[in-house]
mmCIF file of all heavy atoms in Angstrom:
data_model
loop_
_atom_site.group_PDB
_atom_site.id
_atom_site.type_symbol
_atom_site.label_atom_id
_atom_site.label_comp_id
_atom_site.label_asym_id
_atom_site.label_seq_id
_atom_site.Cartn_x
_atom_site.Cartn_y
_atom_site.Cartn_z
ATOM 1 N N SER A 1 21.638 135.710 143.153
ATOM 2 C CA SER A 1 20.862 134.474 143.124
ATOM 3 C C SER A 1 21.147 133.690 144.396
ATOM 4 O O SER A 1 22.105 133.970 145.115
ATOM 5 C CB SER A 1 21.197 133.635 141.892
ATOM 6 O OG SER A 1 22.540 133.194 141.962
ATOM 7 N N ALA A 2 20.294 132.710 144.648
ATOM 8 C CA ALA A 2 20.440 131.881 145.841
ATOM 9 C C ALA A 2 20.098 130.442 145.494
ATOM 10 O O ALA A 2 19.364 130.180 144.534
ATOM 11 C CB ALA A 2 19.522 132.379 146.957
ATOM 12 N N ASP A 3 20.635 129.528 146.272
ATOM 13 C CA ASP A 3 20.313 128.109 146.143
ATOM 14 C C ASP A 3 19.524 127.679 147.365
ATOM 15 O O ASP A 3 19.871 128.041 148.491
ATOM 16 C CB ASP A 3 21.576 127.245 146.067
ATOM 17 C CG ASP A 3 22.309 127.373 144.750
ATOM 18 O OD1 ASP A 3 21.659 127.694 143.734
ATOM 19 O OD2 ASP A 3 23.525 127.137 144.731
ATOM 20 N N ILE A 4 18.490 126.894 147.129
ATOM 21 C CA ILE A 4 17.709 126.324 148.222
ATOM 22 C C ILE A 4 18.150 124.873 148.337
ATOM 23 O O ILE A 4 17.847 124.063 147.470
ATOM 24 C CB ILE A 4 16.194 126.416 147.952
ATOM 25 C CG1 ILE A 4 15.795 127.865 147.677
ATOM 26 C CG2 ILE A 4 15.413 125.843 149.133
ATOM 27 C CD1 ILE A 4 14.422 128.016 147.060
ATOM 28 N N GLY A 5 18.887 124.580 149.381
ATOM 29 C CA GLY A 5 19.422 123.240 149.539
ATOM 30 C C GLY A 5 18.369 122.262 150.030
ATOM 31 O O GLY A 5 17.578 122.592 150.904
ATOM 32 N N TRP A 6 18.354 121.070 149.462
ATOM 33 C CA TRP A 6 17.462 119.996 149.886
ATOM 34 C C TRP A 6 16.007 120.470 149.926
ATOM 35 O O TRP A 6 15.311 120.306 150.915
ATOM 36 C CB TRP A 6 17.891 119.435 151.234
ATOM 37 C CG TRP A 6 19.311 118.994 151.221
ATOM 38 C CD1 TRP A 6 20.376 119.685 151.739
ATOM 39 C CD2 TRP A 6 19.852 117.822 150.646
ATOM 40 N NE1 TRP A 6 21.542 118.992 151.524
ATOM 41 C CE2 TRP A 6 21.246 117.826 150.853
ATOM 42 C CE3 TRP A 6 19.298 116.745 149.969
ATOM 43 C CZ2 TRP A 6 22.079 116.820 150.418
ATOM 44 C CZ3 TRP A 6 20.139 115.742 149.532
ATOM 45 C CH2 TRP A 6 21.509 115.777 149.756
ATOM 46 N N ALA A 7 15.574 121.102 148.851
ATOM 47 C CA ALA A 7 14.255 121.719 148.790
ATOM 48 C C ALA A 7 13.132 120.692 148.743
ATOM 49 O O ALA A 7 13.203 119.703 148.037
ATOM 50 C CB ALA A 7 14.153 122.626 147.575
ATOM 51 N N GLY A 8 12.120 120.969 149.484
ATOM 52 C CA GLY A 8 10.908 120.164 149.449
ATOM 53 C C GLY A 8 9.890 120.798 150.381
ATOM 54 O O GLY A 8 10.276 121.314 151.415
ATOM 55 N N PRO A 9 8.654 120.870 150.065
ATOM 56 C CA PRO A 9 8.078 120.428 148.792
ATOM 57 C C PRO A 9 8.420 121.401 147.665
ATOM 58 O O PRO A 9 8.355 122.612 147.845
ATOM 59 C CB PRO A 9 6.579 120.395 149.072
ATOM 60 C CG PRO A 9 6.374 121.381 150.171
ATOM 61 C CD PRO A 9 7.642 121.366 150.991
ATOM 62 N N LEU A 10 8.775 120.850 146.527
ATOM 63 C CA LEU A 10 9.198 121.669 145.392
ATOM 64 C C LEU A 10 8.125 122.643 144.957
ATOM 65 O O LEU A 10 8.422 123.762 144.548
ATOM 66 C CB LEU A 10 9.602 120.767 144.221
ATOM 67 C CG LEU A 10 10.815 119.869 144.467
ATOM 68 C CD1 LEU A 10 11.043 118.967 143.266
ATOM 69 C CD2 LEU A 10 12.044 120.694 144.768
ATOM 70 N N SER A 11 6.862 122.245 145.034
ATOM 71 C CA SER A 11 5.773 123.120 144.592
ATOM 72 C C SER A 11 5.733 124.411 145.395
ATOM 73 O O SER A 11 5.423 125.472 144.853
ATOM 74 C CB SER A 11 4.438 122.390 144.672
ATOM 75 O OG SER A 11 4.174 121.986 146.010
ATOM 76 N N PHE A 12 6.052 124.353 146.686
ATOM 77 C CA PHE A 12 6.052 125.564 147.520
ATOM 78 C C PHE A 12 7.073 126.562 146.992
ATOM 79 O O PHE A 12 6.769 127.737 146.792
ATOM 80 C CB PHE A 12 6.368 125.212 148.984
ATOM 81 C CG PHE A 12 6.730 126.407 149.818
ATOM 82 C CD1 PHE A 12 5.763 127.287 150.262
ATOM 83 C CD2 PHE A 12 8.051 126.661 150.152
ATOM 84 C CE1 PHE A 12 6.088 128.404 151.021
ATOM 85 C CE2 PHE A 12 8.393 127.770 150.913
ATOM 86 C CZ PHE A 12 7.408 128.646 151.343
ATOM 87 N N PHE A 13 8.294 126.126 146.744
ATOM 88 C CA PHE A 13 9.352 127.034 146.298
ATOM 89 C C PHE A 13 9.101 127.535 144.881
ATOM 90 O O PHE A 13 9.349 128.697 144.587
ATOM 91 C CB PHE A 13 10.711 126.342 146.404
ATOM 92 C CG PHE A 13 11.105 126.068 147.824
ATOM 93 C CD1 PHE A 13 10.963 124.807 148.367
ATOM 94 C CD2 PHE A 13 11.591 127.083 148.629
ATOM 95 C CE1 PHE A 13 11.306 124.551 149.677
ATOM 96 C CE2 PHE A 13 11.940 126.843 149.952
ATOM 97 C CZ PHE A 13 11.801 125.575 150.481
ATOM 98 N N SER A 14 8.578 126.677 144.031
ATOM 99 C CA SER A 14 8.261 127.076 142.667
ATOM 100 C C SER A 14 7.162 128.135 142.648
ATOM 101 O O SER A 14 7.265 129.154 141.975
ATOM 102 C CB SER A 14 7.839 125.851 141.857
ATOM 103 O OG SER A 14 7.433 126.229 140.578
ATOM 104 N N ARG A 15 6.111 127.892 143.411
ATOM 105 C CA ARG A 15 4.969 128.808 143.471
ATOM 106 C C ARG A 15 5.346 130.123 144.159
ATOM 107 O O ARG A 15 4.939 131.205 143.726
ATOM 108 C CB ARG A 15 3.834 128.115 144.213
ATOM 109 C CG ARG A 15 2.548 128.910 144.321
ATOM 110 C CD ARG A 15 1.455 128.138 145.073
ATOM 111 N NE ARG A 15 1.834 127.858 146.461
ATOM 112 C CZ ARG A 15 2.128 126.658 146.955
ATOM 113 N NH1 ARG A 15 2.077 125.581 146.194
ATOM 114 N NH2 ARG A 15 2.467 126.501 148.221
ATOM 115 N N THR A 16 6.136 130.046 145.214
ATOM 116 C CA THR A 16 6.409 131.217 146.046
ATOM 117 C C THR A 16 7.433 132.161 145.441
ATOM 118 O O THR A 16 7.237 133.376 145.458
ATOM 119 C CB THR A 16 6.874 130.764 147.441
ATOM 120 O OG1 THR A 16 5.870 129.901 147.994
ATOM 121 C CG2 THR A 16 7.080 131.943 148.372
ATOM 122 N N VAL A 17 8.534 131.610 144.916
ATOM 123 C CA VAL A 17 9.603 132.471 144.397
ATOM 124 C C VAL A 17 10.059 132.054 143.000
ATOM 125 O O VAL A 17 11.146 132.429 142.556
ATOM 126 C CB VAL A 17 10.809 132.535 145.369
ATOM 127 C CG1 VAL A 17 10.410 133.231 146.656
ATOM 128 C CG2 VAL A 17 11.379 131.154 145.648
ATOM 129 N N HIS A 18 9.231 131.263 142.313
ATOM 130 C CA HIS A 18 9.532 130.816 140.955
ATOM 131 C C HIS A 18 10.871 130.096 140.873
ATOM 132 O O HIS A 18 11.606 130.238 139.890
ATOM 133 C CB HIS A 18 9.470 131.991 139.965
ATOM 134 C CG HIS A 18 8.193 132.748 140.043
ATOM 135 N ND1 HIS A 18 6.989 132.227 139.615
ATOM 136 C CD2 HIS A 18 7.900 133.975 140.562
ATOM 137 C CE1 HIS A 18 6.030 133.106 139.834
ATOM 138 N NE2 HIS A 18 6.548 134.174 140.412
ATOM 139 N N ALA A 19 11.195 129.332 141.898
ATOM 140 C CA ALA A 19 12.441 128.569 141.925
ATOM 141 C C ALA A 19 12.369 127.421 140.921
ATOM 142 O O ALA A 19 11.297 126.905 140.624
ATOM 143 C CB ALA A 19 12.678 128.014 143.333
ATOM 144 N N SER A 20 13.517 127.056 140.414
ATOM 145 C CA SER A 20 13.598 125.915 139.502
ATOM 146 C C SER A 20 14.724 124.992 139.967
ATOM 147 O O SER A 20 15.620 125.407 140.695
ATOM 148 C CB SER A 20 13.847 126.384 138.070
ATOM 149 O OG SER A 20 15.076 127.084 137.993
ATOM 150 N N ILE A 21 14.655 123.762 139.522
ATOM 151 C CA ILE A 21 15.657 122.778 139.910
ATOM 152 C C ILE A 21 16.913 123.002 139.079
ATOM 153 O O ILE A 21 16.859 123.028 137.848
ATOM 154 C CB ILE A 21 15.121 121.347 139.703
ATOM 155 C CG1 ILE A 21 13.907 121.113 140.606
ATOM 156 C CG2 ILE A 21 16.210 120.321 139.969
ATOM 157 C CD1 ILE A 21 13.188 119.813 140.345
ATOM 158 N N SER A 22 18.021 123.169 139.775
ATOM 159 C CA SER A 22 19.279 123.368 139.061
ATOM 160 C C SER A 22 20.129 122.100 139.073
ATOM 161 O O SER A 22 20.929 121.886 138.197
ATOM 162 C CB SER A 22 20.065 124.524 139.671
ATOM 163 O OG SER A 22 20.408 124.242 141.005
ATOM 164 N N ARG A 23 19.975 121.279 140.084
ATOM 165 C CA ARG A 23 20.690 120.013 140.162
ATOM 166 C C ARG A 23 19.962 119.118 141.144
ATOM 167 O O ARG A 23 19.230 119.587 142.007
ATOM 168 C CB ARG A 23 22.143 120.205 140.578
ATOM 169 C CG ARG A 23 22.278 120.918 141.891
ATOM 170 C CD ARG A 23 23.707 121.270 142.187
ATOM 171 N NE ARG A 23 23.678 122.266 143.249
ATOM 172 C CZ ARG A 23 24.686 122.563 144.006
ATOM 173 N NH1 ARG A 23 25.825 121.962 143.825
ATOM 174 N NH2 ARG A 23 24.589 123.465 144.937
ATOM 175 N N ALA A 24 20.170 117.845 140.994
ATOM 176 C CA ALA A 24 19.528 116.882 141.877
ATOM 177 C C ALA A 24 20.560 115.852 142.319
ATOM 178 O O ALA A 24 21.505 115.551 141.586
ATOM 179 C CB ALA A 24 18.379 116.177 141.153
ATOM 180 N N PHE A 25 20.374 115.369 143.519
ATOM 181 C CA PHE A 25 21.241 114.347 144.064
ATOM 182 C C PHE A 25 20.400 113.109 144.326
ATOM 183 O O PHE A 25 19.320 113.197 144.879
ATOM 184 C CB PHE A 25 21.869 114.815 145.388
ATOM 185 C CG PHE A 25 22.738 116.029 145.230
ATOM 186 C CD1 PHE A 25 22.220 117.302 145.429
ATOM 187 C CD2 PHE A 25 24.071 115.903 144.876
ATOM 188 C CE1 PHE A 25 23.012 118.431 145.276
ATOM 189 C CE2 PHE A 25 24.874 117.021 144.725
ATOM 190 C CZ PHE A 25 24.343 118.280 144.923
ATOM 191 N N TRP A 26 20.902 111.988 143.931
ATOM 192 C CA TRP A 26 20.223 110.724 144.157
ATOM 193 C C TRP A 26 21.012 109.956 145.196
ATOM 194 O O TRP A 26 22.228 109.863 145.129
ATOM 195 C CB TRP A 26 20.118 109.923 142.864
ATOM 196 C CG TRP A 26 19.283 110.618 141.843
ATOM 197 C CD1 TRP A 26 19.703 111.448 140.849
ATOM 198 C CD2 TRP A 26 17.865 110.571 141.746
ATOM 199 N NE1 TRP A 26 18.636 111.926 140.142
ATOM 200 C CE2 TRP A 26 17.493 111.395 140.662
ATOM 201 C CE3 TRP A 26 16.874 109.916 142.459
ATOM 202 C CZ2 TRP A 26 16.173 111.573 140.289
ATOM 203 C CZ3 TRP A 26 15.554 110.104 142.073
ATOM 204 C CH2 TRP A 26 15.219 110.922 140.994
ATOM 205 N N CYS A 27 20.315 109.413 146.144
ATOM 206 C CA CYS A 27 20.949 108.595 147.181
ATOM 207 C C CYS A 27 20.689 107.127 146.866
ATOM 208 O O CYS A 27 19.550 106.730 146.655
ATOM 209 C CB CYS A 27 20.393 108.932 148.561
ATOM 210 S SG CYS A 27 20.743 110.608 149.068
#
């Protein structure tokens, strides 16, 4: 498995490789 750090736009990663959000950071 792999992590995509600071992913955006989320729709691209979800559509392309079925990625899902595993954690989120709020600033």
